[in-house]
Amino acid sequence: MKEYSDQYIEDMRDIISRHDEAAARAELEQMHPADIAELYQDLDLEEAEFLYRLLDEDTRADVLMELDEEDRGKLLADMPAKEIATQIIDHLDTDEAVDLIQELDADERDEILSHIDVEQAGDIIDLLKYDEDTAGGLMGTEMIVVNENWSMPECIKQMRMQAEDMDEIYYVYVVDNEDRLKGILPLKTLITHPSVSKIKHIMENDPVSVKADTPIDDVALDFEKYDLVAMPVVDSIGRLVGRITVDDVMDQVRESSERDYQLASGLSSDVDASDSILAQTKARIPWLLIGIVSGILASLILTGFEAQLQAVTTLAIFIPIIGGTGGNVGVQASAIVVQGLANGSLEIKEFAKQLWKEVRVGLLNAIIISGVIMIYNLIMIPDDFAVTLSVSVSLFIVVMFATLLGTVVPLTLEKLHINPALATGPFIQISNDIVGLVIYVFISTQFLKIF
């Protein structure tokens, strides 16, 4: 990411204010589309639009896709549908075109598609049918495809024709007469076997592929596992329908990681530092209000415990320890599970195995933590055995409960197809705070009666 000095921004604003198109173009020609998009964040909308109009159509399309959705929407807002179709969509790969069109409402989509080449529009419409969180929703249709029965001269001729409209070529895919994926043809093989009779004799068989309905997270794991730069996508009967490139996957993984981090931090929607005060407040307030409700519940619990607190004020000192420890243990357990689900090292079918493992981990943690606090209390308050025992036993039970909760909740959410990252945030913290207090109140009440 390129950073621009305040002086550079001021110089660019001066160029824009003077409408010096020659100077502006000279600057823009030296910049990468991603850097131009970065520059736009330091300009107001009118300034950004002035520069945007000076770009050639290919660069304009690239810059637009480098912007975040909100800034992209502002630039597109005043553009006629025909201009979006001919100057933007026509210069994008189908996967990027689909991403852009998905951000528009239905009427805008239809109008834009009516101005696009029929074949390209058909490809886009086909891709729009796929869920955006699957391989089909991420794939593009730009690829070089050859038939396994072609001779080498015919293959090279067809490849040249197909490559004219492509920016990058990763693999050459080989299909049969029914368009089923049969293999890939490495470019090195084309050079070293120029006189082979048929492509099927030199292709690499059974390439790693993915079905169109495969979740994006699974696709990302396959890219990492097999060190791929591109992967073919097939339908339910093995016909080649598209390809996914590693840059598409990395963008998706980054967005998914950002969503998970925000969800775990108690943000209910996708926001960033540049969003408005209202947008950020709307994202933050739900869990904060839930936290207030949990605080009220906790105060009601303590109200019922008022007599014991007045009689033995030492009990109140350990309330933060009970709540804090339970929350930390729960978040740790859930983080391990969520991470395992995300990187593929843990599968939902291993529910029982993971639960048993966490029970043993929780048991060891509970023994250590409750033992430490018991030793501390025996030294600091040797004459108050009821409090010592209450705190230690409560901590033991709270740690075990938090461990089980932190393990079961994300696994259950994953099974219900709900983002398990929810389990690493305020949900676990609040649940453990309330349950921890209930356990502490009950245990303390019983031991105070006995002792």
Side-chain angles (χ1 to χ4, degrees):
M1 181 182 295
K2 186 173 182 178
E3 294 186 5
Y4 298 97
S5 66
D6 293 339
Q7 184 59 51
Y8 183 83
I9 299 299
E10 287 303 315
D11 291 342
M12 286 299 297
R13 283 184 167 149
D14 179 60
I15 291 173
I16 295 170
S17 67
R18 292 187 283 107
H19 288 80
D20 189 343
E21 294 186 3
R25 280 198 179 95
E27 288 293 330
L28 294 173
E29 287 173 357
Q30 304 175 41
M31 299 167 66
H32 188 278
D35 293 329
I36 297 175
E38 192 73 22
L39 174 62
Y40 282 1
Q41 295 184 8
D42 295 311
L43 304 174
D44 60 36
L45 182 58
E46 290 185 3
E47 293 169 334
E49 286 179 336
F50 174 81
L51 295 180
Y52 189 72
R53 296 295 178 182
L54 300 178
L55 300 172
D56 62 74
E57 292 180 355
D58 285 334
T59 305
R60 188 180 297 180
D62 291 338
V63 168
L64 194 69
M65 297 312 296
E66 291 289 346
L67 295 171
D68 60 40
E69 185 175 340
E70 183 178 355
D71 291 335
R72 185 160 53 242
K74 290 177 182 177
L75 284 176
L76 291 174
D78 297 327
M79 293 178 63
K82 185 175 182 181
E83 186 176 339
I84 294 175
T86 58
Q87 297 185 18
I88 303 298
I89 301 296
D90 278 350
H91 297 272
L92 293 175
D93 288 342
T94 50
D95 55 335
E96 292 182 323
V98 168
D99 291 340
L100 179 60
I101 288 178
Q102 282 177 331
E103 297 170 7
L104 308 174
D105 60 43
D107 291 338
E108 289 179 303
R109 290 182 189 180
D110 293 341
E111 188 175 0
I112 290 171
L113 288 171
S114 69
H115 295 289
I116 299 175
D117 174 77
V118 174
E119 184 177 352
Q120 184 184 13
D123 289 340
I124 292 173
I125 291 171
D126 288 340
L127 292 180
L128 285 170
K129 297 175 183 177
Y130 293 104
D131 189 312
E132 62 180 343
D133 292 324
T134 64
L138 192 62
M139 72 181 181
T141 57
E142 293 80 11
M143 52 189 173
I144 294 183
V145 183
V146 299
N147 189 285
E148 63 178 349
N149 296 311
W150 287 352
S151 64
M152 184 61 74
E154 184 179 6
C155 174
I156 294 175
K157 178 182 176 181
Q158 291 293 331
M159 286 174 57
R160 285 172 178 167
M161 293 173 58
Q162 295 179 40
E164 287 181 358
D165 297 326
M166 296 184 62
D167 295 327
E168 295 177 329
I169 300 172
Y170 296 98
Y171 298 107
V172 175
Y173 299 108
V174 183
V175 298
D176 62 14
N177 294 330
E178 282 74 42
D179 291 328
R180 290 189 295 259
L181 178 67
K182 305 301 290 185
I184 61 172
L185 187 61
L187 296 180
K188 178 181 177 180
T189 305
L190 290 173
I191 299 171
T192 56
H193 297 76
S195 60
V196 68
S197 58
K198 289 187 178 181
I199 298 302
K200 63 183 178 182
H201 296 145
I202 58 171
M203 70 180 184
E204 292 184 4
N205 296 295
D206 302 319
V208 176
S209 62
V210 64
K211 289 188 176 180
D213 59 355
T214 303
I216 288 299
D217 290 341
D218 293 341
V219 176
L221 291 175
D222 282 343
F223 265 85
E224 180 182 13
K225 179 178 180 180
Y226 299 107
D227 294 325
L228 301 174
V229 294
M231 182 188 294
V233 182
V234 298
D235 63 14
S236 58
I237 59 174
R239 291 177 300 191
L240 180 65
V241 293
R243 60 92 185 100
I244 299 174
T245 59
V246 67
D247 58 322
D248 297 327
V249 172
M250 291 307 298
D251 288 341
Q252 192 69 27
V253 168
R254 175 183 56 79
E255 292 174 7
S256 178
S257 298
E258 289 176 353
R259 286 196 300 269
D260 289 351
Y261 180 77
Q262 292 188 340
L263 190 61
S265 301
L267 297 175
S268 59
S269 61
D270 188 14
V271 292
D272 57 43
S274 63
D275 286 336
S276 67
I277 293 173
L278 181 60
Q280 293 201 33
T281 301
K282 287 171 64 178
R284 299 182 191 190
I285 201 66
W287 275 112
L288 295 178
L289 291 176
I290 293 173
I292 290 294
V293 173
S294 73
I296 293 173
L297 290 175
S299 67
L300 292 175
I301 294 171
L302 291 177
T303 299
F305 192 45
E306 188 174 2
Q308 286 87 346
L309 289 176
Q310 289 178 345
V312 187
T313 55
T314 311
L315 288 172
I317 298 174
F318 296 98
I319 291 176
I321 295 178
I322 299 294
T325 302
N328 289 337
V329 170
V331 169
Q332 286 179 347
S334 60
I336 292 295
V337 174
V338 171
Q339 183 184 32
L341 292 170
N343 62 27
S345 62
L346 175 62
E347 297 182 12
I348 193 66
K349 63 184 179 181
E350 299 175 324
F351 192 114
K353 179 181 178 181
Q354 183 64 23
L355 185 60
W356 171 234
K357 183 176 183 179
E358 286 297 328
V359 165
R360 288 177 288 169
V361 173
L363 184 62
L364 187 57
N365 285 337
I367 292 172
I368 294 172
I369 291 172
S370 59
V372 168
I373 201 69
M374 176 173 281
I375 293 171
Y376 172 81
N377 283 342
L378 287 174
I379 296 173
M380 301 304 296
I381 47 173
D383 299 327
D384 209 337
F385 188 67
V387 171
T388 297
L389 203 56
S390 297
V391 175
S392 296
V393 173
S394 296
L395 267 177
F396 183 93
I397 297 174
V398 165
V399 169
M400 290 302 301
F401 171 81
T403 300
L404 293 174
L405 187 69
T407 304
V408 170
V409 169
L411 288 171
T412 302
L413 292 176
E414 175 73 11
K415 197 167 186 177
L416 297 174
H417 305 292
I418 300 173
N419 192 338
L422 177 65
T424 62
F427 177 82
I428 289 290
Q429 190 78 44
I430 291 171
S431 300
N432 281 315
D433 283 349
I434 295 175
V435 175
L437 267 180
V438 171
I439 292 172
Y440 186 43
V441 167
F442 178 78
I443 296 294
S444 299
T445 301
Q446 298 307 310
F447 281 151
L448 286 174
K449 288 180 182 178
I450 296 173
F451 295 100

